Amino acid sequence: MRIAVITTATGALLLAGQAGIAAAEEQSHGGGEVDVNVAISEITEPGVLAMSIAGTAVNLTENGSDELVRQFTGTLPTVTITDTRSAEEIPDGAAWYVLGSATAFTGDAGQAPIGAGHLGWAPALIDGGGSGLVAAGDEVQTVLDDDAAPDNVGLVDQELFASAFDSGEIATEGSWTANASLFLRTPSTVGAGQYSGTITLSLFE
């Protein structure tokens, strides 16, 4: 049994060697090469209309208080509107606008909250482009201001921060920036302590 196994293995090796010799004796009768080319184009993403804010917080400091009203002021971080769309991507008659509203200010030690009606703003363009078609919203006064004021409700609802009259006409300008002066006006009897609230800005078209 043992000898039979060795003989069989040797025979297989001889056969494999003979096949290799036959392959080496074959001759090539021609050949060629084929170049493979491919053109990969850059991915073209559709343009977008977007908004960014250069900061997530602002601290108000007391400024301009009197015997009846305490006032705290600050500046909203710069808001940038960017439009990377081509004119063909913008629907006819489209116009964008940014609205803002605020929450009540809540105290950190159980103080009575300060309603959003006590917070006002005065939006202002930093760079409105050269077309004249971008405008800042009107100043919004607080509930403690003169009743004759045109808008003395505070930021309780969506108030206009900035807008464009025609998105297609200004698409080539690319971006615009604006901010706003903020003022919180409270009665002089307001409870002492740390308060915090939130302004929400939303971009629509």
Side-chain angles (χ1 to χ4, degrees):
M1 290 290 296
R2 195 172 175 188
I3 295 174
V5 171
I6 294 173
T7 302
T8 302
T10 303
L13 289 173
L14 289 174
L15 288 174
Q18 292 170 354
I21 294 171
E25 292 176 349
E26 292 180 359
Q27 297 182 355
S28 173
H29 295 281
E33 296 178 346
V34 177
D35 291 334
V36 179
N37 302 302
V38 59
I40 300 177
S41 61
E42 183 178 352
I43 296 175
T44 302
E45 298 286 350
V48 295
L49 176 66
M51 178 181 69
S52 61
I53 305 173
T56 58
V58 56
N59 294 319
L60 304 182
T61 57
E62 188 158 12
N63 175 32
S65 298
D66 60 30
E67 294 179 355
L68 298 178
V69 177
R70 298 185 70 176
Q71 177 173 271
F72 306 84
T73 63
T75 302
L76 189 74
T78 298
V79 177
T80 301
I81 308 300
T82 303
D83 195 347
T84 60
R85 299 172 297 176
S86 65
E88 292 74 20
E89 292 177 304
I90 301 174
D92 291 340
W96 58 257
Y97 53 99
V98 178
L99 302 179
S101 60
T103 65
F105 287 77
T106 56
D108 65 350
Q111 310 99 301
I114 302 171
H118 291 269
L119 180 65
W121 70 7
L125 294 179
I126 298 173
D127 182 359
S131 65
L133 296 178
V134 175
D138 293 333
E139 182 174 350
V140 177
Q141 298 288 331
T142 77
V143 293
L144 292 187
D145 291 300
D146 188 352
D147 288 342
D151 195 352
N152 61 340
V153 296
L155 300 182
V156 296
D157 202 355
Q158 293 186 323
E159 297 289 342
L160 183 64
F161 173 75
S163 63
F165 296 105
D166 190 321
S167 299
E169 287 292 325
I170 61 173
T172 56
E173 294 182 354
S175 66
W176 310 267
T177 53
N179 62 10
S181 298
L182 302 176
F183 41 89
L184 178 69
R185 294 171 180 154
T186 72
S188 59
T189 55
V190 65
Q194 183 73 30
Y195 293 79
S196 61
T198 302
I199 293 176
T200 300
L201 298 175
S202 302
L203 172 63
F204 299 95
E205 184 176 64

